[in-house]
Amino acid sequence: MALDILVFLGSIRDSSPPRPARLGHRIAQATMRRLEASNINASLIDPLDITLPKPFKPHFSYAKGKAPQDMETLAQRIGKADGYVMVSPEYNHSMSPALADLLNHFGSSLYAYKPSAIVTYSAGQWGGTRAAVNMRTFLSELGCLPVSAMIHIPKSQEIFNEDGAYMPEVDGTRWDGYFDRTLGQLAWWAKAAQTQRNQAPDAMAEPFTKSPSQRNAP
Ligand SMILES: Cc1cc2nc3c(=O)[nH]c(=O)nc-3n(C[C@H](O)[C@H](O)[C@H](O)COP(=O)(O)O)c2cc1C
């Protein structure tokens, strides 16, 4: 069965400076292109398209099927997907708050037992590597373990145009290879997890449904 991968775009920024705004849109488009080149079904999840309730109330706090429509729809998409790509800028040496906020609205039972891939970028020279470090912890806690290879894109406004295609002077073949190493690992793990998922790993332990104290040692 063809893999179904969600690409989360980790920016909701519309400010200038720093320019350009929403560099993440280019990176997400480029990522989708590489996934599609491998015959993987890639769907963009853009936080600007999703209305979330204020004050914060996560999906699992609602009675079954009673969350606001956007949340229900996204919960179903997260639950059905075979894996995730998390595209994040680096804000103050951390992952995107917009991405963390969006992901926090859904419980780990929806993400778990599927892999994720970390893609970070920046307008400057470090490519978001410092954000990537804490993304590993974050995604592991959600249960969608990140694959070992990662994609970091420094000065990404010089690599991709607004459609996520390479700038004329860029060596696209090398960048393709760089992307495909990580996305290839993601696809391998997603395929493996796809065949295992019907074995209900949660049956080995009761899910946590009531209180965080359920996680505590006896
Ligand atoms: C609040 C804020 C904090 C930032 N912090 C960092 C940082 O720690 N490291 C870095 O390399 N770039 C940082 N930048 C610059 C971003 O890499 C750059 O603005 C990039 O375009 C952000 O992605 P976006 O356009 O998709 O939102 C920061 C930008 C903003 C707005």
Side-chain angles (χ1 to χ4, degrees):
M1 200 171 27
L3 291 172
D4 178 14
I5 301 291
L6 300 185
V7 177
F8 282 82
L9 198 177
S11 175
I12 53 170
R13 188 171 68 87
D14 180 12
S15 74
S16 180
R19 297 172 73 181
R22 289 251 289 176
L23 204 39
H25 191 254
R26 306 178 188 206
I27 314 301
Q29 302 277 33
T31 304
M32 308 255 299
R33 234 178 258 258
R34 289 318 304 157
L35 287 166
E36 282 156 8
S38 299
N39 296 318
I40 292 169
N41 297 329
S43 312
L44 182 69
I45 305 295
D46 185 339
L48 283 182
D49 295 337
I50 298 157
T51 305
L52 295 169
K54 295 258 183 310
F56 175 67
K57 182 171 174 178
H59 176 258
F60 50 82
S61 298
Y62 291 88
K64 201 169 167 42
K66 298 288 185 204
Q69 192 54 56
D70 277 10
M71 274 180 106
E72 281 301 346
T73 305
L74 185 51
Q76 279 172 20
R77 293 180 77 185
I78 294 171
K80 276 168 59 184
D82 296 305
Y84 315 99
V85 181
M86 305 299 183
V87 177
S88 180
E90 179 173 298
Y91 281 6
N92 297 318
H93 294 196
S94 305
M95 75 182 282
S96 151
L99 179 61
D101 181 54
L102 180 60
L103 301 180
N104 281 340
H105 279 81
F106 303 93
S108 59
S109 60
L110 294 175
Y111 302 97
Y113 306 109
K114 299 164 207 175
S116 60
I118 295 170
V119 179
T120 63
Y121 61 93
S122 66
Q125 64 181 328
W126 304 115
T129 45
R130 293 159 296 204
V133 171
N134 86 314
M135 285 176 75
R136 276 200 186 284
T137 322
F138 187 106
L139 295 170
S140 298
E141 176 58 13
L142 280 186
C144 50
L145 303 188
V147 300
S148 67
M150 295 190 274
I151 298 167
H152 311 297
I153 311 165
K155 299 181 188 172
S156 30
Q157 69 282 7
E158 296 175 15
I159 313 293
F160 297 105
N161 69 18
E162 288 179 4
D163 300 322
Y166 296 116
M167 296 290 202
E169 61 280 9
V170 166
D171 181 351
T173 308
R174 279 201 66 191
W175 278 101
D176 282 352
Y178 181 58
F179 269 76
D180 290 352
R181 177 178 160 74
T182 296
L183 300 180
Q185 287 189 4
L186 179 75
W188 191 93
W189 282 108
K191 203 79 196 161
Q194 202 181 48
T195 59
Q196 279 290 104
R197 260 203 309 285
N198 60 1
Q199 301 202 15
D202 275 330
M204 289 186 283
E206 289 293 311
F208 304 126
T209 53
K210 295 203 163 51
S211 155
S213 67
Q214 289 180 289
R215 291 168 187 271
N216 294 352

